[in-house]
Amino acid sequence: MELLTPDEMGRADAFTIAAGVPGEVLMERAGLAVARAAAGMASVGSRVLVLCGPGNNGGDGFVAARHLAGAGYGVRLALLGERERLRGDAATMAGRWSGPVEAAPEAPLEDVDLIVDALFGAGLARDLDGAARALVERVNASGLPVLAVDLPSGIDGATGAVRGAAITARRSVTFFRPKPGHLLLPGRLHTGPLTVADIGIRPEALDVLRPRAFENVPEFWAGHFPVPRPQGHKYSRGHLVAVSGPARATGATRLAARAALRAGAGLVTVACPEAAMVIHATNLSAVMVRPVEDAAGLAHLLTDRRLSTVVIGPGVGVGQGARDRLLACADRRLVLDADLITSFKGDVDTLATIIKASPAAVATPHDGEFARLFARCPEVLEAPSRLERARAGAARLGATLLLKGPDTVVASPDGRAAIAANAPPWLATAGAGDVLSGIVGGLLAQGMPPLEAAAAGVWLHGEAAREAGPGLVADDLIEALRPVYRRLFLDLGLSI
């Protein structure tokens, strides 16, 4: 589940080589893994064009070409650059290739069944231009299937950004661990399904590197996931309050409240103005409704210390009233979303000061809310990637930050972060974010730490969308959580 930047991967390679595994052995294994992946994409006898670059990625390509040719494929190899300028292990592997070497910029793409992209991978240090860019654009225009080695050429391994132009691969194969660029957009769109090959990198390298980025999968947070116990009861699973705004905007709060209950919170109460009580009460069954007109009323409700967790933002309204309500509940476990975040537009320092009283706070902005909140923080908004923006935002806010999107990033102030890749495109629908806030709140209410609660909530949200399928509306996500929980509990080895 760890994600390694290109620099970290280089250090893992160096660690393994220093431990006694020659670099050419690692390259041989990498090239063999590429050849096996290519064999899974084209039958024996198919025509394969291997495009090699001037560095170690090209060395992997020379190895793959040799193995494919030996297995009966019709292999052509084309090199970007001069063979005499190859160095180190790449030069060694080029010396073991007995076939002809074409010039990659002029290599014809006709009569080719599969292209292996071994041009640049993670070693790319600048935008593609000139002959390299023209070659990438020609490959993409051909429509031929491409297997990318390590990363599609032109994708930044740390950020997922396109460096000038980038190969659009049908599949990719990388080594030891994925990189952030495999999961962050647009890199993920260029990568296709990813195979992670074991080439003998020493796992002890992770103890030295201590990675801070992870793929958001259950292994990341399962050790903290709240599991109902036979001796438990609803009061031991937390009591959550969802703060509602006026009667004209109640749906978002109800979605959050119902999602929190479905996520496992023992009790959930909607705190709303008197005028909204009938609307909430007639649309909620297991969720309680209490009249709360303003911040003073919310403070009075929260004199009951059993009400441990508050979701505030969905449907609460924008303005001073929302800010005042946050002050009234700032010492509880908090999920901050939607209107509440917008109410602190350009004023992240005040928000950070208020929530210092919280034992666990999670903010869940989408890109627009994030931009509004950090409008006066160029060091956050101009960070080089979505991952780094989330990290910088979390550090500035002093709370876990869940930056929503197709490549949702959850980041902690200490720099740990998880990138999600399981959300289907049909999850982008009105109210889905309110459901996510409720799920995260329900997990917080049960005592889950904020980073893990946010990451688990994102994963559950994406899986519920997959379960519900195309055409879902936000309400469907709540019902779809039941089979998702069932599968998760089985995967965790729990009896149900």
Side-chain angles (χ1 to χ4, degrees):
M1 63 183 173
E2 300 90 353
L3 302 174
L4 300 183
T5 65
D7 176 69
E8 289 171 332
M9 188 63 213
R11 290 159 58 195
D13 281 339
F15 176 89
T16 301
I17 292 169
V21 182
E24 66 180 71
V25 170
L26 296 177
M27 187 170 287
E28 181 70 28
R29 292 170 179 170
L32 179 57
V34 173
R36 287 171 173 164
M41 297 177 66
S43 59
V44 174
S46 297
R47 300 158 298 184
V48 181
L49 173 63
V50 181
L51 299 175
C52 294
N56 284 343
N57 200 249
D60 297 340
F62 274 97
V63 176
R66 172 163 43 87
H67 284 289
L68 287 168
Y73 288 82
V75 178
R76 291 167 42 213
L77 187 147
L79 177 64
L80 186 64
E82 300 173 10
R83 188 169 184 170
E84 296 73 22
R85 300 187 67 177
L86 295 173
R87 295 290 180 266
D89 296 326
T92 300
M93 296 308 172
R96 297 178 184 176
W97 169 250
S98 58
V101 176
E102 304 175 28
E106 293 82 35
L109 304 184
E110 295 79 15
D111 299 322
V112 172
D113 300 307
L114 175 68
I115 295 175
V116 175
D117 164 30
L119 291 171
F120 295 105
L124 187 64
R126 61 182 179 84
D127 287 359
L128 296 183
D129 57 14
R133 178 167 182 163
L135 176 59
V136 165
E137 291 174 342
R138 191 158 63 91
V139 169
N140 286 341
S142 74
L144 291 167
V146 178
L147 172 67
V149 179
D150 191 19
L151 276 155
S153 292
I155 294 297
D156 189 302
T159 69
V162 172
R163 303 294 301 269
I167 290 285
T168 300
R170 182 75 56 85
R171 302 187 69 90
S172 299
V173 57
T174 193
F175 316 109
F176 185 51
R177 293 294 187 274
K179 297 170 181 66
H182 287 123
L183 301 186
L184 295 169
L185 295 185
R188 192 171 84 217
L189 303 180
H190 287 257
T191 297
L194 179 67
T195 297
V196 182
D198 179 3
I199 61 171
I201 301 293
R202 298 287 291 271
E204 297 87 348
L206 296 173
D207 298 328
V208 176
L209 295 172
R210 299 178 65 84
R212 308 295 281 168
F214 304 86
E215 182 176 2
N216 189 358
V217 291
E219 290 79 4
F220 177 64
W221 39 261
H224 298 276
F225 196 77
V227 177
R229 302 300 179 187
Q231 69 274 27
H233 47 78
K234 62 185 178 183
Y235 296 104
S236 64
R237 294 171 64 185
H239 191 156
L240 179 140
V241 175
V243 182
S244 174
R248 66 179 180 274
T250 59
T253 311
R254 283 198 302 280
L255 286 169
R258 292 180 56 234
L261 198 63
R262 182 69 77 189
L267 302 100
V268 175
T269 293
V270 167
C272 66
E274 185 82 35
M277 282 195 68
V278 173
I279 300 172
H280 282 302
T282 55
N283 286 279
L284 295 169
S285 298
V287 174
M288 297 174 283
V289 181
R290 294 285 297 275
V292 169
E293 293 296 334
D294 52 21
L298 181 59
H300 178 71
L301 176 67
L302 294 176
T303 57
D304 183 347
R305 300 301 301 181
R306 294 175 299 178
L307 279 61
S308 61
T309 306
V310 177
V311 174
I312 180 168
V316 77
V318 175
Q320 189 61 45
R323 294 168 67 113
D324 291 343
R325 285 173 171 80
L326 177 62
L327 281 167
C329 62
D331 63 343
R332 305 305 163 94
R333 299 169 74 85
L334 296 172
V335 179
L336 315 173
D337 188 24
D339 292 349
L340 187 282
I341 294 174
T342 299
S343 295
F344 286 87
K345 177 181 178 179
D347 195 12
V348 66
D349 291 334
T350 298
L351 179 57
T353 298
I354 293 172
I355 64 175
K356 281 182 180 179
S358 172
V362 178
T364 65
H366 56 55
D367 285 333
E369 292 158 350
F370 184 88
R372 288 192 286 272
L373 180 61
F374 295 102
R376 298 179 182 176
C377 306
E379 74 282 4
V380 174
L381 295 182
E382 296 172 13
S385 73
R386 187 175 185 82
L387 172 61
E388 295 307 321
R389 286 194 294 277
R391 280 174 163 159
R396 185 66 181 266
L397 186 59
T400 295
L401 194 141
L402 191 167
L403 181 55
K404 294 182 289 196
D407 49 352
T408 293
V409 178
V410 178
S412 173
D414 65 10
R416 290 177 297 149
I419 304 171
N422 69 325
W426 51 85
L427 182 53
T429 186
D434 306 314
V435 172
L436 176 58
S437 292
I439 296 171
V440 175
L443 297 174
L444 279 179
Q446 296 171 82
M448 203 171 182
L451 175 65
E452 288 78 7
V458 168
W459 185 88
L460 290 165
H461 194 236
E463 292 302 301
R466 289 180 177 276
E467 177 70 27
L472 71 83
V473 296
D475 303 81
D476 299 331
L477 294 168
I478 300 169
E479 305 309 319
L481 278 174
R482 291 185 65 202
V484 171
Y485 263 69
R486 181 180 180 86
R487 290 195 297 271
L488 175 63
F489 276 41
L490 289 173
D491 288 345
L492 295 177
L494 302 172
S495 59
I496 54 176

